[in-house]
């Protein structure tokens, strides 16, 4: 019988999936901008973003299916996003920084919500 995930966990998993799609997109954009001067750096950067995006997508899917193991990697990813948001706060990237921080905090809140915790701990 399939498990019905509580809304906070569904929101967290959905936003994590959006983040995963964005990471894969960044990797593909990196591939599109490859040139011979920075070929090695471009290929490894693209591989990192695509790999991390696929891994995050797997975690999002696992959260949606209420697999408790996925919570840790997703929380870690959100802490990294919060650090990135902090780093981008100055200058013209303030709106991007705020958006990243809000998404990360909503995902973390969804993961630690009592209904999510109860489902993931059972």
């Amino acid at each position: 019988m399939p498990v019905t995930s509580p809304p906070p966990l569904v929101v967290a998993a959905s936003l994590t999936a959006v983040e995963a799609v964005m990471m894969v997109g960044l990797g593909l954009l990196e591939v599109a901008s490859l040139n011979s001067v920075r070929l090695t750096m471009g290929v490894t950067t693209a591989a990192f973003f695509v790999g991390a995006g696929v891994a995050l997508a797997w975690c999002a899917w696992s959260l949606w299916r209420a697999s408790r193991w996925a919570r840790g990697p997703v929380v870690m990813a959100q802490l990294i996003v919060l650090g990135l948001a902090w780093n981008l706060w100055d200058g013209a990237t303030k709106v991007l920084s705020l958006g990243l921080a809000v998404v990360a905090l909503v995902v973390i809140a969804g993961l630690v919500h009592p209904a999510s915790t109860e489902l993931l701990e059972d």
Side-chain angles (χ1 to χ4, degrees), residues 36-109:
S36 61
V37 175
R38 53 181 290 282
L39 185 62
T40 304
M41 180 64 131
V43 168
T44 55
T45 302
F48 170 79
F49 277 118
V50 170
V54 168
L56 201 55
W58 183 34
C59 288
W61 181 78
S62 297
L63 276 178
W64 185 74
R65 296 183 50 88
S67 296
R68 69 187 281 181
W69 70 265
R71 182 170 41 183
V74 171
V75 169
M76 181 65 156
Q78 302 317 305
L79 293 175
I80 292 169
V81 169
L82 284 172
L84 180 62
W86 178 266
N87 193 39
L88 292 173
W89 184 249
D90 289 336
T93 57
K94 202 167 277 212
V95 173
L96 174 63
S97 174
L98 187 61
L100 287 170
V102 167
V103 169
L105 290 172
V106 168
V107 170
I108 291 171

